[in-house]
Amino acid sequence: MTRALLHFPDEMAPARRLAEAAGLPPHAVERHRFPDEELKLRLPFAETGAFPETLVLYRSLDRPNDKLVELLLLARHARQQGVTRLVLVAPYLAYMRQDIAFHPGEIVSQTIVGGFLAELFDAVITVDPHLHRIASLDQAIPLKHAIALSGAPRLAELIAEKRHDPLLLGPDEEALQWVQQAAEVTGFDVGTCRKTRNGDRNVRVELPDIEVAGRQVVLMDDVASSGHTVARAAEALLDAGAASVDVAITHALFAGDALAVIQAAGVGEVWSTDCIAHDSNAIAMAPVLAEALAGLSEREGWARQASRRPGKR
């Protein structure tokens, strides 16, 4: 066995979709939590001792704190067992939002967590990371292969199936990149709202200078966490006469009652990718992730190197 994909039971469905799309045998990690909250992990290769040369670890880093410890334990153990190439597929990448010290004394988590991942893995593949003040992912994760994909084109294809000539709006100006990517696929009209935030849940949203009356509007963003930005935007749009407001997001974090907050604002449909498992998942990212893995393998010649090992036919 030269290559394999490793996943946790709670992410079996999206991980196995990726394994099938990428042609990798999938294996599950056994996870036990002790009463004092320590973790015990067991890998499926223990019985045979046959660890792969290249190991792809699928772990989306929502609710990240335990998961970062899991990555540390797994990566260090895999190296000890002779795994030569470790690839992390983290469809959601945590700790990217704190990219500067907004107030004196704040810790900039983006580069610290990014450096941690770079020490453990040879490549990191993620989707729509929160990179608003840097140009590329390798500035946060100092690796040759720090690969940032986007869920916007896949969501745009779904929107085109569900709605006729909708208006795509970002709930704030930071979402412009996602609505623009979606427009490149569909040709739909786009714009962004303007947000003023006075706390995690205290948000005011101003609509752009675009006629929304009678339009089917889809709010697009990379992530929905508290839901308040999307909710305030939806309320403003419906007050301005929008025929309907739906939401399409890459990462359905939806902390606490976020989904209820969005629905109470009058939103119709909520569509998300499976980067974070949620009932709103409508798009699988496996084809896009598998393509990135294939390109990585081809650039580095991993598959060819494995096929030329002594005794391999």
Side-chain angles (χ1 to χ4, degrees), residues 89-106:
V89 176
Y92 177 72
L93 192 58
Y95 287 108
M96 293 293 107
R97 283 180 280 191
Q98 186 79 34
D99 54 5
I100 60 172
F102 297 97
H103 303 285
E106 288 183 344

Side-chain angles (χ1 to χ4, degrees), residues 14-302:
R16 296 209 166 190
R17 284 193 288 268
L18 174 57
E20 181 178 2
L24 295 172
H27 301 272
V29 180
E30 293 182 21
R31 183 180 186 272
H32 174 75
R33 184 187 292 276
F34 291 106
D36 66 352
E37 301 294 314
E38 281 192 11
L39 299 172
K40 180 175 74 173
L41 307 179
R42 184 174 184 272
L43 299 189
F45 316 112
E47 286 106 6
T48 64
F51 278 73
E53 292 180 357
T54 297
L55 183 60
V56 177
L57 175 58
Y58 185 100
R59 199 55 166 153
S60 204
L61 295 178
D62 55 301
R63 285 77 181 177
N65 298 339
D66 277 0
K67 294 179 179 181
L68 291 173
V69 175
E70 292 169 358
L71 298 187
L72 173 64
L73 297 174
L74 284 169
R76 295 293 190 222
H77 179 73
R79 296 292 193 194
Q80 291 168 2
Q81 302 307 312
V83 175
T84 57
R85 289 175 290 270
L86 274 171
V87 179
L88 174 64
V89 176
Y92 177 72
L93 192 58
Y95 287 108
M96 293 293 107
R97 283 180 280 191
Q98 186 79 34
D99 54 5
I100 60 172
F102 297 97
H103 303 285
E106 288 183 344
I107 294 172
V108 180
S109 60
Q110 185 186 80
T111 52
I112 293 174
V113 173
F116 171 76
L117 297 177
E119 291 173 2
L120 297 178
F121 295 95
D122 300 297
V124 174
I125 300 173
T126 191
V127 180
D128 287 334
H130 204 83
L131 307 178
H132 292 307
R133 275 168 284 269
I134 61 175
S136 60
L137 184 60
D138 60 5
Q139 291 175 261
I141 304 176
L143 284 173
K144 176 183 177 184
H145 300 300
I147 300 170
L149 309 173
S150 180
R154 295 276 290 162
L155 287 168
E157 293 168 359
L158 176 70
I159 293 167
E161 294 174 6
K162 300 286 188 178
R163 298 290 180 262
H164 174 68
D165 193 29
L167 170 64
L168 306 182
L169 285 184
D172 56 36
E173 291 165 313
E174 290 182 340
L176 178 61
Q177 59 183 299
W178 288 285
V179 293
Q180 285 181 333
Q181 288 181 60
E184 290 173 4
V185 174
T186 62
F188 295 148
D189 295 337
V190 301
T192 63
C193 303
R194 179 176 297 173
K195 175 179 68 177
T196 303
R197 181 182 291 280
N198 298 309
D200 289 341
R201 297 174 183 270
N202 185 0
V203 177
R204 185 170 61 88
V205 172
E206 298 177 19
L207 297 183
D209 187 19
I210 299 174
E211 181 59 55
V212 301
R215 298 291 303 268
Q216 293 182 319
V217 181
V218 178
L219 291 167
M220 295 192 71
D221 209 349
D222 62 329
V223 61
S225 182
S226 73
H228 285 267
T229 299
V230 170
R232 300 294 83 78
E235 290 168 347
L237 286 163
L238 292 169
D239 287 345
S244 64
V245 178
D246 303 296
V247 172
I249 56 171
T250 302
H251 303 299
L253 274 178
F254 291 139
D257 63 348
L259 185 57
V261 168
I262 290 172
Q263 292 170 333
V267 167
E269 299 288 336
V270 178
W271 304 301
S272 65
T273 73
D274 65 351
C275 290
I276 296 174
H278 190 267
D279 289 344
S280 65
N281 290 168
I283 288 293
M285 289 301 294
V288 180
L289 295 168
E291 185 178 354
L293 282 172
L296 181 61
S297 178
E298 181 61 30
R299 286 195 300 274
E300 294 299 291
W302 293 351

